[in-house]
Amino acid sequence: IPVGAGHGGKVAATGERCSLEDYFQEAESLFHDVMAGEGLISGIAVPITMDANNLGVLYVYNRTKTSFAEADLDTLSLLGNLAAMEISRKHAKTRLRDSELQYRELYQDTKQGEQLYRSLLNSSADAIVIYDMDGNARYVNPSFTRIFGWTGEELLGKRIPFMPESEREASMAIIRMLIHEGSPCSGFETKRYTRDGRILDVSISASRYHDHEGNPAGMLVVIADITHRKQVEEALRKS
């Protein structure tokens, strides 16, 4: 039924309840054939609304000519309010079900993406560390454990104690630029301790990453062991 057409269309358009003692005399002819086919003559209609939202129209019709009272409209309005609550409840249930479905799909996609991401990190031949903005380790890959000796269980939520004091000033300058300005570094050559006290020559590449709202969340650091290369270069210089 188009809004504004017929008895119900008028109620839907105005949001006001309406009674008709003689439909054929008081309403436009658009639905006269339908009403005559059903043998309906007199009726009342009220809007079904919730928080100013029009959810529909509730009708009562008689097959005999009837003069409806305000009390009849009040009763039907009460039923309309109950209908509005039920319709709203079902709409909310549908929205919740759709939201849960979308959440499950999003969760599944995120989980698959996380698994792929972690697989790539775990398969890297270079050591990889993910830090939070306070410099605490959130993740180390298997190559980090192989090269430096510490396991993830030992380091998660902690600072990694592998920076020699001689490298601190230059390293901290790189870290400050990375955290505060987001400037990535690539191929920064420095030294780091292993868990058993050995010192390695390393090349570090690092970038700042962000959370889902675009705020800085931490650093992704890739550490390549270049000790052997440095030894070869030193031997060539001496030869």
Side-chain angles (χ1 to χ4, degrees):
I1 299 175
V3 174
H7 193 186
K10 179 181 177 181
V11 171
T14 63
E16 298 178 357
R17 58 194 195 176
C18 177
S19 65
L20 300 177
E21 186 173 342
D22 188 332
Y23 185 92
F24 302 96
Q25 296 297 321
E26 301 174 60
E28 61 181 296
S29 61
L30 182 61
F31 299 109
H32 280 194
D33 290 345
V34 175
M35 301 298 287
E38 293 290 336
L40 304 176
I41 300 175
S42 301
I44 53 178
V46 298
I48 302 174
T49 58
M50 176 67 74
D51 296 330
N53 295 317
N54 187 357
L55 304 178
V57 177
L58 184 62
Y59 297 92
V60 168
Y61 267 85
N62 278 348
R63 289 189 169 89
T64 57
K65 194 169 184 178
T66 307
S67 178
F68 292 99
E70 282 295 310
D72 298 321
L73 285 167
D74 291 340
T75 300
L76 192 60
S77 292
L78 176 61
L79 294 175
N81 291 335
L82 295 175
M85 292 176 62
E86 180 64 13
I87 292 171
S88 297
R89 186 189 68 80
K90 289 191 175 181
H91 284 178
K93 185 177 180 180
T94 299
R95 288 194 298 270
L96 178 61
R97 184 177 64 245
D98 292 343
S99 296
E100 289 175 344
L101 179 60
Q102 292 173 359
Y103 174 80
R104 285 197 296 270
E105 292 174 347
L106 179 61
Y107 175 81
Q108 191 64 31
D109 291 344
T110 302
K111 198 69 177 176
Q112 290 175 353
E114 180 184 343
Q115 290 171 349
L116 176 60
Y117 175 67
R118 189 170 289 272
S119 176
L120 292 171
L121 296 178
N122 288 343
S123 65
S124 172
D126 293 328
I128 296 178
V129 184
I130 297 178
Y131 294 95
D132 61 22
M133 291 297 287
D134 294 323
N136 299 314
R138 295 185 59 188
Y139 164 85
V140 297
N141 72 340
S143 290
F144 180 92
T145 300
R146 175 177 56 80
I147 295 170
F148 293 99
W150 288 282
T151 64
E153 289 77 10
E154 294 175 296
L155 296 176
L156 292 186
K158 303 175 183 177
R159 292 179 179 270
I160 303 175
F162 68 162
M163 186 187 297
E165 194 59 38
S166 61
E167 304 298 310
R168 183 168 300 278
E169 184 176 351
S171 295
M172 292 307 296
I174 294 291
I175 292 171
R176 281 192 294 269
M177 290 184 63
L178 184 61
I179 290 177
H180 299 300
E181 300 177 19
S183 303
C185 76
S186 178
F188 170 60
E189 294 188 4
T190 182
K191 298 179 184 295
R192 292 293 184 267
Y193 283 119
T194 64
R195 192 176 190 277
D196 58 11
R198 292 177 295 115
I199 193 163
L200 302 179
D201 290 294
V202 298
S203 174
I204 293 179
S205 297
S207 60
R208 189 176 73 183
Y209 66 90
H210 300 78
D211 62 20
H212 65 285
E213 294 180 344
N215 300 312
M219 298 170 287
L220 173 67
V221 180
V222 181
I223 309 171
D225 180 5
I226 59 171
T227 304
H228 179 70
R229 193 195 81 191
K230 285 291 189 179
Q231 291 172 345
V232 172
E233 289 175 352
E234 183 65 20
L236 290 174
R237 279 195 297 271
K238 292 180 178 179
S239 63

